[in-house]
PDB file of all heavy atoms in Angstrom:
ATOM      1  N   VAL A   1     -14.950 -80.510 -76.215  1.00 85.00           N
ATOM      2  CA  VAL A   1     -15.371 -81.264 -77.401  1.00 85.00           C
ATOM      3  C   VAL A   1     -14.546 -82.523 -77.594  1.00 85.00           C
ATOM      4  O   VAL A   1     -15.077 -83.577 -77.977  1.00 85.00           O
ATOM      5  CB  VAL A   1     -15.294 -80.355 -78.643  1.00 85.00           C
ATOM      6  CG1 VAL A   1     -15.429 -81.180 -79.915  1.00 85.00           C
ATOM      7  CG2 VAL A   1     -16.376 -79.296 -78.591  1.00 85.00           C
ATOM      8  N   PHE A   2     -13.232 -82.445 -77.315  1.00 85.00           N
ATOM      9  CA  PHE A   2     -12.355 -83.587 -77.573  1.00 85.00           C
ATOM     10  C   PHE A   2     -12.149 -84.459 -76.341  1.00 85.00           C
ATOM     11  O   PHE A   2     -11.285 -85.342 -76.365  1.00 85.00           O
ATOM     12  CB  PHE A   2     -11.006 -83.089 -78.088  1.00 85.00           C
ATOM     13  CG  PHE A   2     -11.113 -82.309 -79.377  1.00 85.00           C
ATOM     14  CD1 PHE A   2     -11.058 -80.925 -79.369  1.00 85.00           C
ATOM     15  CD2 PHE A   2     -11.307 -82.958 -80.583  1.00 85.00           C
ATOM     16  CE1 PHE A   2     -11.163 -80.204 -80.542  1.00 85.00           C
ATOM     17  CE2 PHE A   2     -11.428 -82.252 -81.762  1.00 85.00           C
ATOM     18  CZ  PHE A   2     -11.356 -80.866 -81.744  1.00 85.00           C
ATOM     19  N   ASP A   3     -12.931 -84.239 -75.286  1.00 78.00           N
ATOM     20  CA  ASP A   3     -12.838 -85.094 -74.109  1.00 78.00           C
ATOM     21  C   ASP A   3     -13.490 -86.442 -74.387  1.00 78.00           C
ATOM     22  O   ASP A   3     -14.445 -86.541 -75.185  1.00 78.00           O
ATOM     23  CB  ASP A   3     -13.519 -84.444 -72.904  1.00 78.00           C
ATOM     24  CG  ASP A   3     -12.762 -83.231 -72.396  1.00 78.00           C
ATOM     25  OD1 ASP A   3     -11.607 -83.044 -72.822  1.00 78.00           O
ATOM     26  OD2 ASP A   3     -13.323 -82.466 -71.591  1.00 78.00           O
ATOM     27  N   VAL A   4     -12.990 -87.467 -73.723  1.00 71.00           N
ATOM     28  CA  VAL A   4     -13.566 -88.803 -73.881  1.00 71.00           C
ATOM     29  C   VAL A   4     -15.005 -88.812 -73.380  1.00 71.00           C
ATOM     30  O   VAL A   4     -15.315 -88.280 -72.317  1.00 71.00           O
ATOM     31  CB  VAL A   4     -12.732 -89.836 -73.102  1.00 71.00           C
ATOM     32  CG1 VAL A   4     -13.396 -91.207 -73.154  1.00 71.00           C
ATOM     33  CG2 VAL A   4     -11.325 -89.913 -73.671  1.00 71.00           C
ATOM     34  N   ALA A   5     -15.905 -89.400 -74.167  1.00 64.00           N
ATOM     35  CA  ALA A   5     -17.318 -89.591 -73.839  1.00 64.00           C
ATOM     36  C   ALA A   5     -18.113 -88.306 -73.884  1.00 64.00           C
ATOM     37  O   ALA A   5     -19.276 -88.294 -73.488  1.00 64.00           O
ATOM     38  CB  ALA A   5     -17.486 -90.259 -72.467  1.00 64.00           C
ATOM     39  N   TRP A   6     -17.542 -87.203 -74.394  1.00 66.00           N
ATOM     40  CA  TRP A   6     -18.328 -85.976 -74.511  1.00 66.00           C
ATOM     41  C   TRP A   6     -19.236 -86.053 -75.722  1.00 66.00           C
ATOM     42  O   TRP A   6     -18.819 -86.453 -76.802  1.00 66.00           O
ATOM     43  CB  TRP A   6     -17.418 -84.766 -74.646  1.00 66.00           C
ATOM     44  CG  TRP A   6     -18.178 -83.468 -74.668  1.00 66.00           C
ATOM     45  CD1 TRP A   6     -18.568 -82.717 -73.609  1.00 66.00           C
ATOM     46  CD2 TRP A   6     -18.661 -82.779 -75.835  1.00 66.00           C
ATOM     47  NE1 TRP A   6     -19.256 -81.601 -74.028  1.00 66.00           N
ATOM     48  CE2 TRP A   6     -19.327 -81.611 -75.396  1.00 66.00           C
ATOM     49  CE3 TRP A   6     -18.599 -83.033 -77.199  1.00 66.00           C
ATOM     50  CZ2 TRP A   6     -19.923 -80.711 -76.259  1.00 66.00           C
ATOM     51  CZ3 TRP A   6     -19.200 -82.137 -78.077  1.00 66.00           C
ATOM     52  CH2 TRP A   6     -19.837 -80.984 -77.598  1.00 66.00           C
ATOM     53  N   ARG A   7     -20.491 -85.666 -75.547  1.00 62.00           N
ATOM     54  CA  ARG A   7     -21.445 -85.693 -76.648  1.00 62.00           C
ATOM     55  C   ARG A   7     -22.092 -84.340 -76.891  1.00 62.00           C
ATOM     56  O   ARG A   7     -22.708 -84.135 -77.908  1.00 62.00           O
ATOM     57  CB  ARG A   7     -22.551 -86.718 -76.369  1.00 62.00           C
ATOM     58  CG  ARG A   7     -22.050 -88.143 -76.415  1.00 62.00           C
ATOM     59  CD  ARG A   7     -23.164 -89.082 -76.112  1.00 62.00           C
ATOM     60  NE  ARG A   7     -22.754 -90.463 -76.241  1.00 62.00           N
ATOM     61  CZ  ARG A   7     -23.517 -91.477 -75.881  1.00 62.00           C
ATOM     62  NH1 ARG A   7     -24.705 -91.266 -75.380  1.00 62.00           N
ATOM     63  NH2 ARG A   7     -23.081 -92.716 -76.019  1.00 62.00           N
ATOM     64  N   GLY A   8     -21.991 -83.451 -75.946  1.00 61.00           N
ATOM     65  CA  GLY A   8     -22.558 -82.128 -76.137  1.00 61.00           C
ATOM     66  C   GLY A   8     -24.009 -82.058 -75.739  1.00 61.00           C
ATOM     67  O   GLY A   8     -24.569 -82.956 -75.094  1.00 61.00           O
ATOM     68  N   THR A   9     -24.631 -80.962 -76.125  1.00 48.00           N
ATOM     69  CA  THR A   9     -26.017 -80.729 -75.768  1.00 48.00           C
ATOM     70  C   THR A   9     -26.943 -81.545 -76.657  1.00 48.00           C
ATOM     71  O   THR A   9     -26.529 -82.158 -77.628  1.00 48.00           O
ATOM     72  CB  THR A   9     -26.345 -79.239 -75.926  1.00 48.00           C
ATOM     73  OG1 THR A   9     -26.151 -78.879 -77.302  1.00 48.00           O
ATOM     74  CG2 THR A   9     -25.413 -78.398 -75.060  1.00 48.00           C
ATOM     75  N   SER A  10     -28.206 -81.503 -76.318  1.00 43.00           N
ATOM     76  CA  SER A  10     -29.186 -82.255 -77.097  1.00 43.00           C
ATOM     77  C   SER A  10     -29.269 -81.773 -78.536  1.00 43.00           C
ATOM     78  O   SER A  10     -29.669 -82.502 -79.429  1.00 43.00           O
ATOM     79  CB  SER A  10     -30.567 -82.135 -76.433  1.00 43.00           C
ATOM     80  OG  SER A  10     -30.939 -80.757 -76.328  1.00 43.00           O
ATOM     81  N   ALA A  11     -28.848 -80.498 -78.772  1.00 38.00           N
ATOM     82  CA  ALA A  11     -28.882 -79.974 -80.138  1.00 38.00           C
ATOM     83  C   ALA A  11     -27.912 -80.716 -81.044  1.00 38.00           C
ATOM     84  O   ALA A  11     -28.103 -80.791 -82.251  1.00 38.00           O
ATOM     85  CB  ALA A  11     -28.543 -78.486 -80.137  1.00 38.00           C
ATOM     86  N   ARG A  12     -26.834 -81.288 -80.463  1.00 40.00           N
ATOM     87  CA  ARG A  12     -25.848 -81.999 -81.266  1.00 40.00           C
ATOM     88  C   ARG A  12     -25.957 -83.511 -81.088  1.00 40.00           C
ATOM     89  O   ARG A  12     -25.127 -84.244 -81.573  1.00 40.00           O
ATOM     90  CB  ARG A  12     -24.434 -81.545 -80.898  1.00 40.00           C
ATOM     91  CG  ARG A  12     -24.090 -80.189 -81.428  1.00 40.00           C
ATOM     92  CD  ARG A  12     -22.645 -79.854 -81.139  1.00 40.00           C
ATOM     93  NE  ARG A  12     -21.737 -80.868 -81.685  1.00 40.00           N
ATOM     94  CZ  ARG A  12     -21.268 -80.867 -82.919  1.00 40.00           C
ATOM     95  NH1 ARG A  12     -21.634 -79.933 -83.767  1.00 40.00           N
ATOM     96  NH2 ARG A  12     -20.421 -81.802 -83.312  1.00 40.00           N
ATOM     97  N   THR A  13     -26.953 -83.979 -80.351  1.00 39.00           N
ATOM     98  CA  THR A  13     -27.123 -85.414 -80.150  1.00 39.00           C
ATOM     99  C   THR A  13     -28.088 -85.952 -81.193  1.00 39.00           C
ATOM    100  O   THR A  13     -29.218 -85.480 -81.299  1.00 39.00           O
ATOM    101  CB  THR A  13     -27.675 -85.709 -78.751  1.00 39.00           C
ATOM    102  OG1 THR A  13     -26.773 -85.159 -77.805  1.00 39.00           O
ATOM    103  CG2 THR A  13     -27.817 -87.192 -78.522  1.00 39.00           C
ATOM    104  N   PRO A  14     -27.711 -86.902 -82.001  1.00 39.00           N
ATOM    105  CA  PRO A  14     -28.586 -87.404 -83.052  1.00 39.00           C
ATOM    106  C   PRO A  14     -29.771 -88.152 -82.487  1.00 39.00           C
ATOM    107  O   PRO A  14     -29.773 -88.592 -81.348  1.00 39.00           O
ATOM    108  CB  PRO A  14     -27.671 -88.337 -83.865  1.00 39.00           C
ATOM    109  CG  PRO A  14     -26.626 -88.758 -82.901  1.00 39.00           C
ATOM    110  CD  PRO A  14     -26.424 -87.601 -81.963  1.00 39.00           C
ATOM    111  N   GLU A  15     -30.771 -88.281 -83.303  1.00 42.00           N
ATOM    112  CA  GLU A  15     -31.979 -88.975 -82.871  1.00 42.00           C
ATOM    113  C   GLU A  15     -31.696 -90.436 -82.592  1.00 42.00           C
ATOM    114  O   GLU A  15     -30.774 -91.021 -83.113  1.00 42.00           O
ATOM    115  CB  GLU A  15     -33.070 -88.836 -83.937  1.00 42.00           C
ATOM    116  CG  GLU A  15     -32.707 -89.424 -85.290  1.00 42.00           C
ATOM    117  CD  GLU A  15     -31.944 -88.449 -86.163  1.00 42.00           C
ATOM    118  OE1 GLU A  15     -31.474 -87.444 -85.638  1.00 42.00           O
ATOM    119  OE2 GLU A  15     -31.828 -88.716 -87.379  1.00 42.00           O
ATOM    120  N   ALA A  16     -32.536 -91.015 -81.744  1.00 41.00           N
ATOM    121  CA  ALA A  16     -32.295 -92.391 -81.290  1.00 41.00           C
ATOM    122  C   ALA A  16     -32.394 -93.395 -82.421  1.00 41.00           C
ATOM    123  O   ALA A  16     -31.727 -94.418 -82.410  1.00 41.00           O
ATOM    124  CB  ALA A  16     -33.281 -92.742 -80.177  1.00 41.00           C
ATOM    125  N   ASP A  17     -33.248 -93.120 -83.413  1.00 40.00           N
ATOM    126  CA  ASP A  17     -33.421 -94.094 -84.496  1.00 40.00           C
ATOM    127  C   ASP A  17     -32.527 -93.795 -85.693  1.00 40.00           C
ATOM    128  O   ASP A  17     -32.748 -94.283 -86.784  1.00 40.00           O
ATOM    129  CB  ASP A  17     -34.886 -94.110 -84.957  1.00 40.00           C
ATOM    130  CG  ASP A  17     -35.340 -92.741 -85.453  1.00 40.00           C
ATOM    131  OD1 ASP A  17     -34.592 -91.755 -85.232  1.00 40.00           O
ATOM    132  OD2 ASP A  17     -36.430 -92.663 -86.054  1.00 40.00           O
ATOM    133  N   SER A  18     -31.510 -92.979 -85.460  1.00 41.00           N
ATOM    134  CA  SER A  18     -30.606 -92.646 -86.558  1.00 41.00           C
ATOM    135  C   SER A  18     -29.883 -93.895 -87.032  1.00 41.00           C
ATOM    136  O   SER A  18     -29.391 -94.687 -86.240  1.00 41.00           O
ATOM    137  CB  SER A  18     -29.572 -91.597 -86.107  1.00 41.00           C
ATOM    138  OG  SER A  18     -28.573 -91.474 -87.079  1.00 41.00           O
ATOM    139  N   PRO A  19     -29.793 -94.107 -88.347  1.00 37.00           N
ATOM    140  CA  PRO A  19     -29.063 -95.269 -88.853  1.00 37.00           C
ATOM    141  C   PRO A  19     -27.580 -95.190 -88.548  1.00 37.00           C
ATOM    142  O   PRO A  19     -26.880 -96.182 -88.593  1.00 37.00           O
ATOM    143  CB  PRO A  19     -29.313 -95.219 -90.362  1.00 37.00           C
ATOM    144  CG  PRO A  19     -29.645 -93.801 -90.667  1.00 37.00           C
ATOM    145  CD  PRO A  19     -30.347 -93.289 -89.456  1.00 37.00           C
ATOM    146  N   VAL A  20     -27.091 -93.980 -88.286  1.00 38.00           N
ATOM    147  CA  VAL A  20     -25.680 -93.848 -87.990  1.00 38.00           C
ATOM    148  C   VAL A  20     -25.381 -94.265 -86.569  1.00 38.00           C
ATOM    149  O   VAL A  20     -24.333 -94.791 -86.260  1.00 38.00           O
ATOM    150  CB  VAL A  20     -25.238 -92.378 -88.226  1.00 38.00           C
ATOM    151  CG1 VAL A  20     -23.755 -92.220 -87.964  1.00 38.00           C
ATOM    152  CG2 VAL A  20     -25.584 -91.942 -89.633  1.00 38.00           C
ATOM    153  N   GLY A  21     -26.315 -94.031 -85.664  1.00 39.00           N
ATOM    154  CA  GLY A  21     -26.089 -94.355 -84.266  1.00 39.00           C
ATOM    155  C   GLY A  21     -25.431 -93.202 -83.549  1.00 39.00           C
ATOM    156  O   GLY A  21     -24.726 -92.384 -84.117  1.00 39.00           O
ATOM    157  N   ALA A  22     -25.660 -93.104 -82.249  1.00 45.00           N
ATOM    158  CA  ALA A  22     -25.143 -91.980 -81.480  1.00 45.00           C
ATOM    159  C   ALA A  22     -23.673 -92.123 -81.159  1.00 45.00           C
ATOM    160  O   ALA A  22     -22.996 -91.159 -80.888  1.00 45.00           O
ATOM    161  CB  ALA A  22     -25.946 -91.856 -80.177  1.00 45.00           C
ATOM    162  N   GLY A  23     -23.151 -93.343 -81.175  1.00 52.00           N
ATOM    163  CA  GLY A  23     -21.755 -93.531 -80.820  1.00 52.00           C
ATOM    164  C   GLY A  23     -21.549 -93.413 -79.331  1.00 52.00           C
ATOM    165  O   GLY A  23     -22.463 -93.158 -78.561  1.00 52.00           O
ATOM    166  N   ALA A  24     -20.301 -93.598 -78.923  1.00 56.00           N
ATOM    167  CA  ALA A  24     -19.978 -93.550 -77.499  1.00 56.00           C
ATOM    168  C   ALA A  24     -19.199 -92.302 -77.131  1.00 56.00           C
ATOM    169  O   ALA A  24     -18.641 -92.211 -76.056  1.00 56.00           O
ATOM    170  CB  ALA A  24     -19.175 -94.797 -77.111  1.00 56.00           C
ATOM    171  N   GLY A  25     -19.160 -91.319 -78.019  1.00 66.00           N
ATOM    172  CA  GLY A  25     -18.428 -90.109 -77.716  1.00 66.00           C
ATOM    173  C   GLY A  25     -16.924 -90.288 -77.748  1.00 66.00           C
ATOM    174  O   GLY A  25     -16.209 -89.586 -77.033  1.00 66.00           O
ATOM    175  N   LEU A  26     -16.417 -91.219 -78.571  1.00 78.00           N
ATOM    176  CA  LEU A  26     -14.987 -91.505 -78.613  1.00 78.00           C
ATOM    177  C   LEU A  26     -14.323 -90.979 -79.878  1.00 78.00           C
ATOM    178  O   LEU A  26     -13.097 -90.871 -79.924  1.00 78.00           O
ATOM    179  CB  LEU A  26     -14.755 -93.018 -78.523  1.00 78.00           C
ATOM    180  CG  LEU A  26     -15.402 -93.751 -77.349  1.00 78.00           C
ATOM    181  CD1 LEU A  26     -15.074 -95.232 -77.423  1.00 78.00           C
ATOM    182  CD2 LEU A  26     -14.946 -93.171 -76.031  1.00 78.00           C
ATOM    183  N   GLY A  27     -15.107 -90.676 -80.906  1.00 82.00           N
ATOM    184  CA  GLY A  27     -14.537 -90.334 -82.200  1.00 82.00           C
ATOM    185  C   GLY A  27     -13.631 -89.120 -82.164  1.00 82.00           C
ATOM    186  O   GLY A  27     -12.520 -89.149 -82.706  1.00 82.00           O
ATOM    187  N   LEU A  28     -14.058 -88.031 -81.526  1.00 87.00           N
ATOM    188  CA  LEU A  28     -13.249 -86.819 -81.496  1.00 87.00           C
ATOM    189  C   LEU A  28     -12.046 -86.979 -80.588  1.00 87.00           C
ATOM    190  O   LEU A  28     -10.984 -86.393 -80.851  1.00 87.00           O
ATOM    191  CB  LEU A  28     -14.112 -85.633 -81.049  1.00 87.00           C
ATOM    192  CG  LEU A  28     -15.247 -85.258 -82.010  1.00 87.00           C
ATOM    193  CD1 LEU A  28     -16.030 -84.067 -81.471  1.00 87.00           C
ATOM    194  CD2 LEU A  28     -14.705 -84.951 -83.400  1.00 87.00           C
ATOM    195  N   ALA A  29     -12.178 -87.756 -79.517  1.00 84.00           N
ATOM    196  CA  ALA A  29     -11.024 -88.039 -78.662  1.00 84.00           C
ATOM    197  C   ALA A  29      -9.965 -88.810 -79.442  1.00 84.00           C
ATOM    198  O   ALA A  29      -8.759 -88.586 -79.277  1.00 84.00           O
ATOM    199  CB  ALA A  29     -11.452 -88.816 -77.421  1.00 84.00           C
ATOM    200  N   ILE A  30     -10.395 -89.714 -80.306  1.00 87.00           N
ATOM    201  CA  ILE A  30      -9.463 -90.467 -81.148  1.00 87.00           C
ATOM    202  C   ILE A  30      -8.785 -89.534 -82.150  1.00 87.00           C
ATOM    203  O   ILE A  30      -7.579 -89.653 -82.404  1.00 87.00           O
ATOM    204  CB  ILE A  30     -10.205 -91.606 -81.866  1.00 87.00           C
ATOM    205  CG1 ILE A  30     -10.627 -92.673 -80.853  1.00 87.00           C
ATOM    206  CG2 ILE A  30      -9.336 -92.219 -82.956  1.00 87.00           C
ATOM    207  CD1 ILE A  30     -11.486 -93.770 -81.437  1.00 87.00           C
ATOM    208  N   VAL A  31      -9.533 -88.584 -82.698  1.00 89.00           N
ATOM    209  CA  VAL A  31      -8.952 -87.618 -83.635  1.00 89.00           C
ATOM    210  C   VAL A  31      -7.822 -86.843 -82.961  1.00 89.00           C
ATOM    211  O   VAL A  31      -6.741 -86.669 -83.532  1.00 89.00           O
ATOM    212  CB  VAL A  31     -10.034 -86.655 -84.153  1.00 89.00           C
ATOM    213  CG1 VAL A  31      -9.398 -85.528 -84.970  1.00 89.00           C
ATOM    214  CG2 VAL A  31     -11.044 -87.399 -85.010  1.00 89.00           C
ATOM    215  N   ARG A  32      -8.064 -86.375 -81.740  1.00 89.00           N
ATOM    216  CA  ARG A  32      -7.028 -85.622 -81.034  1.00 89.00           C
ATOM    217  C   ARG A  32      -5.803 -86.494 -80.765  1.00 89.00           C
ATOM    218  O   ARG A  32      -4.666 -86.048 -80.938  1.00 89.00           O
ATOM    219  CB  ARG A  32      -7.571 -85.065 -79.719  1.00 89.00           C
ATOM    220  CG  ARG A  32      -6.541 -84.256 -78.934  1.00 89.00           C
ATOM    221  CD  ARG A  32      -7.134 -83.634 -77.693  1.00 89.00           C
ATOM    222  NE  ARG A  32      -7.643 -84.643 -76.778  1.00 89.00           N
ATOM    223  CZ  ARG A  32      -8.192 -84.356 -75.605  1.00 89.00           C
ATOM    224  NH1 ARG A  32      -8.319 -83.096 -75.222  1.00 89.00           N
ATOM    225  NH2 ARG A  32      -8.636 -85.320 -74.812  1.00 89.00           N
ATOM    226  N   GLY A  33      -6.036 -87.739 -80.370  1.00 88.00           N
ATOM    227  CA  GLY A  33      -4.916 -88.631 -80.108  1.00 88.00           C
ATOM    228  C   GLY A  33      -4.079 -88.898 -81.344  1.00 88.00           C
ATOM    229  O   GLY A  33      -2.846 -88.903 -81.293  1.00 88.00           O
ATOM    230  N   ILE A  34      -4.749 -89.109 -82.493  1.00 89.00           N
ATOM    231  CA  ILE A  34      -4.021 -89.363 -83.732  1.00 89.00           C
ATOM    232  C   ILE A  34      -3.257 -88.117 -84.163  1.00 89.00           C
ATOM    233  O   ILE A  34      -2.104 -88.198 -84.615  1.00 89.00           O
ATOM    234  CB  ILE A  34      -4.993 -89.826 -84.830  1.00 89.00           C
ATOM    235  CG1 ILE A  34      -5.570 -91.211 -84.479  1.00 89.00           C
ATOM    236  CG2 ILE A  34      -4.304 -89.876 -86.190  1.00 89.00           C
ATOM    237  CD1 ILE A  34      -6.628 -91.701 -85.450  1.00 89.00           C
ATOM    238  N   ALA A  35      -3.884 -86.951 -84.031  1.00 90.00           N
ATOM    239  CA  ALA A  35      -3.208 -85.705 -84.402  1.00 90.00           C
ATOM    240  C   ALA A  35      -1.957 -85.482 -83.555  1.00 90.00           C
ATOM    241  O   ALA A  35      -0.892 -85.132 -84.068  1.00 90.00           O
ATOM    242  CB  ALA A  35      -4.167 -84.526 -84.263  1.00 90.00           C
ATOM    243  N   GLN A  36      -2.078 -85.688 -82.259  1.00 88.00           N
ATOM    244  CA  GLN A  36      -0.934 -85.498 -81.378  1.00 88.00           C
ATOM    245  C   GLN A  36       0.153 -86.533 -81.643  1.00 88.00           C
ATOM    246  O   GLN A  36       1.345 -86.242 -81.499  1.00 88.00           O
ATOM    247  CB  GLN A  36      -1.388 -85.542 -79.924  1.00 88.00           C
ATOM    248  CG  GLN A  36      -2.261 -84.359 -79.527  1.00 88.00           C
ATOM    249  CD  GLN A  36      -2.807 -84.462 -78.111  1.00 88.00           C
ATOM    250  OE1 GLN A  36      -2.715 -85.517 -77.475  1.00 88.00           O
ATOM    251  NE2 GLN A  36      -3.373 -83.381 -77.614  1.00 88.00           N
ATOM    252  N   ALA A  37      -0.241 -87.752 -82.021  1.00 87.00           N
ATOM    253  CA  ALA A  37       0.751 -88.774 -82.346  1.00 87.00           C
ATOM    254  C   ALA A  37       1.567 -88.387 -83.582  1.00 87.00           C
ATOM    255  O   ALA A  37       2.702 -88.832 -83.739  1.00 87.00           O
ATOM    256  CB  ALA A  37       0.072 -90.127 -82.576  1.00 87.00           C
ATOM    257  N   HIS A  38       0.993 -87.538 -84.446  1.00 88.00           N
ATOM    258  CA  HIS A  38       1.706 -87.047 -85.625  1.00 88.00           C
ATOM    259  C   HIS A  38       2.328 -85.679 -85.371  1.00 88.00           C
ATOM    260  O   HIS A  38       2.679 -84.971 -86.322  1.00 88.00           O
ATOM    261  CB  HIS A  38       0.749 -86.953 -86.826  1.00 88.00           C
ATOM    262  CG  HIS A  38       0.387 -88.272 -87.430  1.00 88.00           C
ATOM    263  ND1 HIS A  38      -0.589 -89.099 -86.894  1.00 88.00           N
ATOM    264  CD2 HIS A  38       0.886 -88.929 -88.519  1.00 88.00           C
ATOM    265  CE1 HIS A  38      -0.686 -90.183 -87.647  1.00 88.00           C
ATOM    266  NE2 HIS A  38       0.186 -90.117 -88.626  1.00 88.00           N
ATOM    267  N   SER A  39       2.469 -85.296 -84.097  1.00 87.00           N
ATOM    268  CA  SER A  39       3.012 -83.980 -83.716  1.00 87.00           C
ATOM    269  C   SER A  39       2.157 -82.849 -84.263  1.00 87.00           C
ATOM    270  O   SER A  39       2.657 -81.757 -84.563  1.00 87.00           O
ATOM    271  CB  SER A  39       4.458 -83.820 -84.209  1.00 87.00           C
ATOM    272  OG  SER A  39       5.285 -84.811 -83.647  1.00 87.00           O
ATOM    273  N   GLY A  40       0.864 -83.110 -84.389  1.00 90.00           N
ATOM    274  CA  GLY A  40      -0.068 -82.105 -84.882  1.00 90.00           C
ATOM    275  C   GLY A  40      -1.056 -81.692 -83.820  1.00 90.00           C
ATOM    276  O   GLY A  40      -0.842 -81.876 -82.619  1.00 90.00           O
TER     277      GLY A  40
END
């Protein structure tokens, strides 16, 4: 889940016309990096 560019199965992939956008699969990788930078 926290790997770079991981998006998961189609069940967790948002629709193409979503106003939020699918993203590049970087958000959770950034979360892990920030947590580890805080010794968490």
